[in-house]
Amino acid sequence: MALPPDLPSHLSALQSLLDDCTQDDLSLINAYIVERAKQQQAADRAEQMARFRSGDRVTFTDKQGKQVNAVVVRPNKKTVTLRSDDDRKWNVSPELLQKVESADNGRKEPIQLSLVRDARTTPEAASATGHEREWVAGLIDAPGYITGEAGEPYRPQIFAWMNEIGQVIRLTLTGPNEPDLDLVQELRQAIDKPATGQAGAPSHIRVNDARQAELLKASFPSIRFVCAATPELTELQSTMQEEMGSAGTTMTYSSTGASTEAIGEFFDAAAKLYRAKPWKSIPHDQSLISVTIDALGVKNAALSVMGQMGQHFGIILFDQLAKHERFTLIGDAIHRGQEPDYPPHTFLSYEPAKEIEADMRKDISRHGWKVANTKAYPLLMSPNEDRIVRPMTPRDLTLFTVIAEALSYALSAEEFIDSHHGLSSSKSNQTFSTESGPVTVELETPYPYEKVMRENGAPDSIFARLIAMERTREVMDWDLHDTLSEQLQEKYLASPEGRAIGNAASISTLLMSFSFNYMNCTIATLVPTDLESILYEIIPSKVMMPASEAANMIEDARAFFSFLKRAYQSVHAERCLSVLTDEAIVRMTAAMDNPNLFGMGKSVLSEGTGFPFDLPDIPSEPLRPSATKPKPKDSKSRKKQRAASRKARKKNR
């Protein structure tokens, strides 16, 4: 690109210097120019942002060309959060905003829109001035962890107070070892000395904790306290995480507080595990391994090996089986467009060098810690429910050092490999020396579902055996599934939920049969998406039942999954219940009445043309839905179908 001939003198001199630069020189200069441009853009944005304070009146033009009047809730890192006069929330770049100056030029404080009517309040909640002012208060998690203090890193909580236009008027940080907050004093401070907005009491306050509401009510009789959901606080927490979560320093292994020797042992064990390639021997990521390490307080933790699809190699540890079950539902939630439920867990993954932060690579190189190869840098992380990563500790390094060592050793045993294919069971105990003393690791496969679920309150082993059958056998046992399903049906019919349904209890057998025959799973691991396929596609196609019965069938399904949730603490049943709404009745009724969904046999019967052969006499019992078990496929085709099903589930996670 040629530069204009009439350049200023300083740019002409710069051009002469550039003409003499090599390609490497130009690359360095280009990187500097790009970085410098970013700095100037950031400085310009900061200058623009400095023009605004919480409570300022502003105006801007939206995408439709309409002028919008609003008040500043808070300036963020790149945008300004606004509340428009029609009570809509906006995030707008500061360059697009024009400040509306107060008529009182001598006023030092910005104009506050503090007496705004809130549609959630009632006339009875009006303040003495005739206006309604609803505040929101409650605890939220801080956007990061506190490190550098004695003991392990911890994540403090924040008690937040927000006024009627969404401004944060008081925040108080509280740690795990600090005394309980004096909420009465906190509210007095929020009323008398708010961080922004006008001083003065609101007409009412909404909190999500009934105990807090009762405590405050006694000291502030003129304020009405309501115990209800506080989505504003959830939004505030998300905003704080977005704006502050990225400000933390890059994790390095040296920063964990572990000794150089302990970290070196972790790297050696991680490299050994990578070379052992457990993802080549363990068939799928739901073939769990039980981990018990008494010295570290670990009992029957669920260890999952990932990488069978040829990507994302590593191991994931859940300290409880229930958390693993929640993890298996993430893909279904994403598929349904819902916010996934991320359980806390810790994982060791192997990443290429280019994916590792520069500070971490330098730390590894400086200490000479060994990696298996440049594509296998060990990355140890522990995200919690809202995906905030907890800083690693010396215990985490010790835990995964001994797990990696124990798993590498176990993979050399034929019995251990066979146990993942339903051919045997395996239990190994290995003791390792660590800085804190000897540590014994017990690995058990298949995962002891029956024992663990019994310990967690399950009344019998039926549900656990269904899960174990699905996850530990290459070929599903049809006869065993039928036996377990019949036993589960008997338990359901004898339960309070089943007795409430009575003779209408019928769809439960169909759900168990169709889950197994068509969804390649059992009722114990059925996900909402597959449940909807059964309700709105398979049953309408296969089952002779009038559409008017859809309401009864959905009611029975609700009772059945309620029974599974209560009796077996099934998180899958809990998620399936979430789709059995009144809308499900409408959808199923329409599907049952839609001839385009009928299968061949149902179409022939519904048209009244009959079959070209004699049918047996129909018994005089009440009409109940039924399904015929398909002919079992041969072992090889069934194995391929299950492998394809696992592959599809893996892509969703």
Side-chain angles (χ1 to χ4, degrees):
M1 171 180 166
L3 295 175
D6 55 344
L7 284 174
S9 58
H10 67 288
L11 292 182
S12 297
L14 182 59
Q15 182 181 10
S16 299
L17 293 173
L18 292 174
D19 289 341
D20 295 332
C21 289
T22 65
Q23 185 173 352
D24 290 341
D25 294 337
L26 292 174
S27 296
L28 290 173
I29 293 170
N30 179 68
Y32 172 79
I33 291 173
V34 170
E35 183 62 29
R36 180 60 179 155
K38 290 181 179 178
Q39 291 176 358
Q40 289 186 343
Q41 290 175 355
D44 291 342
R45 180 174 288 112
E47 183 179 352
Q48 291 286 341
M49 197 75 73
R51 297 187 298 130
F52 303 104
R53 295 172 57 192
S54 296
D56 283 349
R57 293 286 301 179
V58 296
T59 183
F60 66 95
T61 303
D62 65 12
K63 293 181 179 180
Q64 286 71 41
K66 180 181 177 182
Q67 183 172 325
V68 178
N69 297 314
V71 65
V72 174
V73 175
R74 60 181 173 273
N76 304 312
K77 189 176 294 184
K78 295 182 179 180
T79 63
V80 179
T81 299
L82 310 172
R83 181 75 66 181
S84 60
D85 291 352
D86 58 358
D87 203 30
R88 296 172 62 191
K89 181 183 175 182
W90 301 78
N91 286 317
V92 182
S93 296
E95 297 89 349
L96 303 179
L97 299 176
Q98 290 193 3
K99 194 172 180 180
V100 178
E101 298 296 338
S102 168
D104 181 5
N105 294 327
R107 183 183 178 122
K108 295 182 179 179
E109 292 296 322
I111 298 175
Q112 302 293 334
L113 190 62
S114 57
L115 299 179
V116 177
R117 189 171 196 79
D118 193 316
R120 292 173 300 221
T121 62
T122 60
E124 291 74 18
S127 67
T129 60
H131 295 280
E132 294 168 357
R133 300 185 62 195
E134 182 193 47
W135 287 4
V136 178
L139 279 171
I140 60 174
D141 290 322
Y145 282 79
I146 300 296
T147 60
E149 297 183 0
E152 293 191 353
Y154 66 91
R155 189 178 184 186
Q157 288 189 305
I158 298 173
F159 200 93
W161 303 84
M162 298 177 67
N163 66 15
E164 64 278 3
I165 61 171
Q167 294 175 327
V168 178
I169 55 177
R170 185 170 177 82
L171 294 176
T172 304
L173 198 70
T174 176
N177 299 321
E178 297 177 5
D180 292 341
L181 283 177
D182 184 346
L183 293 184
V184 173
Q185 181 62 24
E186 288 292 311
L187 179 51
R188 288 199 179 101
Q189 289 290 325
I191 292 172
D192 297 338
K193 298 178 181 179
T196 187
Q198 289 182 335
S203 57
H204 55 292
I205 299 177
R206 178 161 38 95
V207 296
N208 57 14
D209 187 313
R211 183 185 60 83
Q212 294 172 355
E214 291 300 319
L215 176 65
L216 292 168
K217 187 184 300 183
S219 298
F220 298 89
S222 62
I223 300 176
R224 185 165 68 92
F225 291 89
V226 178
C227 183
T230 53
E232 298 89 343
L233 295 180
T234 303
E235 184 179 354
L236 173 63
Q237 181 176 333
S238 299
T239 300
M240 292 176 69
Q241 288 175 190
E242 292 172 5
E243 298 297 329
M244 301 169 62
S246 60
T249 58
T250 301
M251 186 203 87
T252 64
Y253 286 101
S254 293
S255 66
T256 61
S259 69
T260 301
E261 292 74 17
I263 299 172
E265 291 173 358
F266 164 76
F267 271 81
D268 291 342
K272 183 187 296 185
L273 180 61
Y274 182 84
R275 289 190 289 267
K277 292 181 169 47
W279 39 86
K280 294 289 187 181
S281 304
I282 297 175
H284 54 86
D285 62 351
Q286 293 186 37
S287 184
L288 300 182
I289 303 167
S290 170
V291 179
T292 296
I293 309 175
D294 291 334
L296 297 177
V298 177
K299 182 179 180 182
N300 293 129
L303 183 69
S304 171
V305 173
M306 57 184 179
Q308 290 84 354
M309 306 303 298
Q311 54 186 350
H312 306 305
F313 303 109
I315 55 177
I316 311 177
L317 185 70
F318 304 88
D319 61 4
Q320 297 174 2
L321 175 62
K323 292 178 182 177
H324 170 266
E325 298 307 300
R326 287 167 55 191
F327 190 80
T328 64
L329 288 156
I330 289 176
D332 183 76
I334 294 174
H335 176 76
R336 293 169 52 77
Q338 297 178 343
E339 183 66 26
D341 173 21
Y342 287 92
H345 58 280
T346 306
F347 67 86
L348 167 62
S349 65
Y350 296 95
E351 306 293 340
K354 64 181 181 181
E355 299 296 332
I356 302 297
E357 294 285 349
D359 289 344
M360 181 179 285
R361 289 202 312 272
K362 292 177 182 177
D363 184 45
I364 295 171
S365 176
R366 182 169 62 253
H367 289 90
W369 294 318
K370 304 298 183 183
V371 298
N373 59 53
T374 57
K375 295 182 179 180
Y377 275 74
L379 184 63
L380 188 61
M381 302 186 75
S382 186
N384 58 25
E385 286 91 342
D386 50 9
R387 288 177 278 180
I388 296 295
V389 177
R390 172 177 61 79
M392 291 294 98
T393 66
R395 177 189 178 277
D396 296 319
L397 288 172
T398 299
L399 174 62
F400 273 76
T401 297
V402 297
I403 288 177
E405 289 280 7
L407 184 54
S408 298
Y409 178 85
L411 288 166
S412 64
E414 184 176 344
E415 181 184 78
F416 182 80
I417 302 299
D418 289 344
S419 68
H420 292 279
H421 299 272
L423 303 176
S424 65
S425 60
S426 173
K427 183 181 290 188
S428 68
N429 288 273
Q430 294 294 318
T431 301
F432 305 94
S433 297
T434 70
E435 288 187 343
S436 57
V439 172
T440 300
V441 181
E442 178 185 280
L443 301 182
E444 182 177 359
T445 55
Y447 188 90
Y449 291 100
E450 293 185 42
K451 180 183 72 173
V452 172
M453 294 184 72
R454 283 276 198 176
E455 290 175 352
N456 291 333
D460 51 62
S461 63
I462 300 172
F463 208 71
R465 293 178 68 190
L466 284 169
I467 298 176
M469 176 188 67
E470 177 186 347
R471 294 178 177 170
T472 61
R473 301 190 180 212
E474 288 296 325
V475 180
M476 295 272 249
D477 188 327
W478 294 76
D479 293 332
L480 176 59
H481 179 265
D482 285 352
T483 298
L484 294 174
S485 297
E486 290 172 2
Q487 293 175 357
L488 191 60
Q489 178 71 0
E490 291 176 1
K491 295 282 185 178
Y492 166 52
L493 293 177
S495 71
E497 295 86 355
R499 291 197 301 270
I501 294 296
N503 291 332
S506 54
I507 198 175
S508 50
T509 56
L510 293 181
L511 292 175
M512 288 187 282
S513 175
F514 289 153
S515 296
F516 188 75
N517 296 331
Y518 295 99
M519 297 301 155
N520 297 299
C521 66
T522 67
I523 195 67
T525 58
L526 185 68
V527 299
T529 299
D530 290 344
L531 173 60
E532 290 185 322
S533 295
I534 293 174
L535 294 177
Y536 311 138
E537 298 172 20
I538 297 175
I539 289 180
S541 171
K542 305 292 183 183
V543 178
M544 287 298 299
M545 178 65 71
S548 59
E549 286 296 311
N552 289 334
M553 297 177 84
I554 295 296
E555 183 181 1
D556 180 23
R558 288 172 182 163
F560 183 49
F561 285 111
S562 295
F563 159 69
L564 297 180
K565 175 186 174 183
R566 175 186 59 79
Y568 302 101
Q569 297 84 48
S570 169
V571 66
H572 284 78
E574 180 181 3
R575 297 295 190 275
C576 286
L577 273 171
S578 69
V579 304
L580 297 175
T581 62
D582 290 343
E583 181 186 354
I585 298 175
V586 176
R587 288 184 63 185
M588 190 173 186
T589 300
M592 295 286 289
D593 205 29
N594 184 357
N596 294 326
L597 298 177
F598 295 174
M600 181 178 68
K602 185 173 178 178
S603 296
V604 170
L605 289 175
S606 62
E607 291 171 1
T609 56
F611 288 107
F613 51 81
D614 294 333
L615 293 173
D617 293 336
I618 299 176
S620 58
E621 297 178 359
L623 180 64
R624 299 174 66 84
S626 62
T628 301
K629 181 194 302 181
K631 181 181 179 181
K633 299 183 180 182
D634 62 85
S635 171
K636 186 176 294 183
S637 63
R638 183 72 179 178
K639 183 176 180 180
K640 289 181 178 178
Q641 184 179 10
R642 287 179 56 73
S645 176
R646 290 192 187 110
K647 183 175 181 180
R649 290 200 298 267
K650 181 66 177 176
K651 286 182 177 179
N652 286 332
R653 288 205 292 274

